[in-house]
Amino acid sequence: MIETRLLNYFLAIAREENMTKAANTLHISQPALSKQMTDLEKQLGTKLFIRGNKNTKLTEDGALFRSRAQEIIKLIEKTEADISSEATDISGDIYLGCGESHVMDYIVGIFETLHKEYPDVHFHIYSGNAESVLERLDKGLLDAGLLLGSLNNEKYDLKDLGLYDRFGLLMTNSCPLAQKEYITSEDLQNLPILMPQQSITSSKSLDEFVQALFQMKHTINVVGTYNLLYNAIFMVEHNIGSAICIEGLVDTNSRNNLVFKPLLPEVRLNSYIVTKRYQSFSKAMKLFLDRL
């Protein structure tokens, strides 16, 4: 079994890219550190480093091991914080993964209340698509995830927040559809479109409008996809395409060159807090779930 100490040694070398500099930060001798890493490579049965005269670079296996080592260290730190918080008043850390959703305003409102009542509770937000959030949830790096649409998987518990996000089309005000009150599937035929990846990978959870899009996909010009909207906004502003996205994520008052119009028939996805079934929570996380 690999000791946590060796993981920290390895990560220091990966960070400094120099054995001597890493040894100085760790307050051990360079020969001792080098031997520890040689022993670690023997234990793993693979080379982790390419040792040069001045720099120490990671091999392909070394880069993979760095990613795993970082996850292990974070999980250990999170576990230690959760356990230590159990012995005191409510304190500790809450780790939440989420996609882009205006429902986060509601979540952060709960964070605000908790922070005022319990200033030793700290909040950590990871932003990503559903796939990356669930991956980190499975690894124990997140306590919960905020996801759009239901999830049919027996290893998760879902809490329906009774809130939803509505989809529409984000476009420049020069787009021919900008003056319409609603956007229909027929309006999108042959229009350059940027599609959210969630509606491609999770189309079953979307309603009849998006199903209609996929049924006539040969007449839709999908010029690109995105997983988080912020950078896609620039693609819209540069007239690469109009983006199917969630209402309320772009302030069209401050970006007055952009217009958002909802889809018709209405496309909405309910919001769920997702946790691993049979998961144990810290006092802080239990309190957060109770407030939800």
Side-chain angles (χ1 to χ4, degrees):
M1 183 178 295
I2 300 173
E3 297 180 29
T4 306
R5 171 179 55 84
L6 293 181
L7 296 180
N8 284 316
Y9 285 2
F10 168 81
L11 291 174
I13 299 170
R15 181 176 62 251
E16 299 294 339
E17 295 187 343
N18 182 281
M19 196 73 69
T20 301
K21 289 182 179 178
N24 290 336
T25 63
L26 295 168
H27 305 291
I28 64 174
S29 69
Q30 187 274 331
L33 179 60
S34 181
K35 183 180 184 306
Q36 295 271 14
M37 291 301 101
T38 300
D39 292 342
L40 178 61
E41 289 176 322
K42 289 180 180 178
Q43 183 177 352
L44 293 172
T46 187
K47 285 287 185 182
L48 299 175
F49 303 104
I50 300 173
R51 293 169 171 82
N53 292 330
K54 294 184 178 180
N55 294 321
T56 302
K57 299 291 187 180
L58 293 178
T59 63
E60 185 175 344
D61 285 341
L64 175 62
F65 188 69
R66 176 178 59 184
S67 176
R68 295 291 187 267
Q70 289 171 334
E71 291 175 355
I72 291 170
I73 294 299
K74 286 181 180 179
L75 184 57
I76 291 173
E77 291 174 348
K78 181 177 180 299
T79 302
E80 289 176 345
D82 289 346
I83 291 174
S84 63
S85 68
E86 294 290 342
T88 63
D89 292 334
I90 294 179
S91 62
D93 300 272
I94 294 174
Y95 292 83
L96 179 70
C98 58
E100 293 176 308
S101 169
H102 84 282
V103 177
M104 275 304 295
D105 185 47
Y106 168 75
I107 298 293
V108 172
I110 298 176
F111 284 175
E112 179 185 14
T113 302
L114 289 179
H115 183 64
K116 289 179 179 177
E117 296 177 14
Y118 307 98
D120 290 330
V121 173
H122 305 284
F123 311 96
H124 308 274
I125 299 298
Y126 170 81
S127 297
N129 58 19
E131 182 179 2
S132 63
V133 169
L134 289 176
E135 180 182 1
R136 295 179 74 86
L137 187 63
D138 288 341
K139 292 179 178 178
L141 300 175
L142 296 174
D143 294 312
L146 172 65
L147 300 181
L148 299 180
S150 184
L151 185 67
N152 295 320
N153 194 311
E154 293 182 354
K155 67 180 181 179
Y156 301 114
D157 288 321
L158 274 68
K159 180 188 291 288
D160 189 343
L161 298 181
L163 303 170
Y164 67 87
D165 279 299
R166 185 167 69 157
F167 281 83
L169 187 69
L170 181 70
M171 66 199 106
T172 61
N173 52 23
S174 61
C175 177
L177 303 179
Q179 303 306 315
K180 296 198 65 175
E181 185 176 359
Y182 297 97
I183 304 299
T184 67
S185 57
E186 289 75 17
D187 292 329
L188 299 182
Q189 295 189 53
N190 302 313
L191 187 74
I193 295 294
L194 301 168
M195 292 287 285
Q197 291 178 2
Q198 64 207 52
S199 66
I200 291 176
T201 59
S202 307
S203 60
K204 290 182 181 179
S205 65
L206 300 179
D207 71 1
E208 295 177 357
F209 184 95
V210 177
Q211 296 298 333
L213 291 184
F214 283 93
Q215 290 170 8
M216 64 176 199
K217 60 185 177 184
H218 61 283
T219 64
I220 294 180
N221 180 19
V222 178
V223 297
T225 65
Y226 68 90
N227 67 328
L228 295 175
L229 182 61
Y230 181 76
N231 287 330
I233 293 173
F234 299 107
M235 298 176 74
V236 175
E237 290 180 325
H238 284 271
N239 292 304
I240 293 176
S242 300
I244 300 289
C245 66
I246 290 171
E247 184 176 18
L249 296 183
V250 179
D251 184 1
T252 54
N253 291 320
S254 61
R255 300 183 97 115
N256 53 22
N257 60 327
L258 298 179
V259 176
F260 177 92
K261 298 294 181 178
L263 302 179
L264 186 71
E266 189 176 72
V267 176
R268 61 166 67 179
L269 285 179
N270 285 359
S271 296
Y272 295 85
I273 288 291
V274 181
T275 56
K276 287 179 66 176
R277 188 158 293 180
Y278 310 120
Q279 182 175 351
S280 297
F281 298 110
S282 65
K283 286 184 178 180
M285 187 61 191
K286 288 177 183 176
L287 182 61
F288 169 68
L289 292 174
D290 288 342
R291 294 294 175 90
L292 281 177

